[in-house]
Amino acid sequence: MIIPMSYWKLSDDEIVKHYDAVAKQISIPIMAYNNPATAGVDMSPKLLKRILEIPNVTMIKESTGDVQRMHYLKKELGDSIAFYNGSNPLSLSAFAAGAIGWCTAAPNLIPELNIALYNAIQNNDLQGAQKIFYKQIDLLRFIVEKGLPRAIKSGLQLQGIEGGHLRKPLQPLTENEITELDRILKLVK
């Protein structure tokens, strides 16, 4: 998974050349990761189509939080390119838009619900998928709002699993946030 990041604003040509340079050095499939909120670069569908011309760029992780873009990608790319959802609160909508998977940290805390949602989608069980999704949506929002590393580490600790340390300058959740996470996890289980 490659995300274009630079202090300076990158041109489309610079981004394509970066993906191409990496692709020429490795033989494994590459996922183009579009997450403008964290990378500061929003790769347009037009740019993603250019990047996908590179032979081993075979997937897209779409994390803009724009479900309309997901529909556009599916319409433009069809079934030839796999696109994955990277926006936790949009997981149900992303599957409806044609995402074939979901890249998320949530399975660290609720793997059964995440798998159940995927299976319900695969079985065309929309009502079941909605029920499963709504059961986890508060946790999915919490993870995004509080930051994945913080939320997952605290959630693991609440479950008695050592989650390692946070790299500086990240700070742990506050006591109030941990209490809120504990309440949410108890409702989800």
Side-chain angles (χ1 to χ4, degrees), residues 45-46 49 67-77:
K46 180 180 175 184
K49 284 178 79 171
V67 74
Q68 295 302 323
R69 181 177 290 199
M70 294 178 187
H71 283 289
Y72 178 81
L73 286 170
K74 182 64 176 181
K75 180 181 177 284
E76 288 298 307
L77 303 174

Side-chain angles (χ1 to χ4, degrees), residues 52 57-60 73-74 77-83 98 100:
L52 289 165
V57 179
T58 61
M59 301 165 275
I60 297 171
L73 286 170
K74 182 64 176 181
L77 303 174
D79 293 329
S80 63
I81 300 296
F83 93 83
I100 67 161

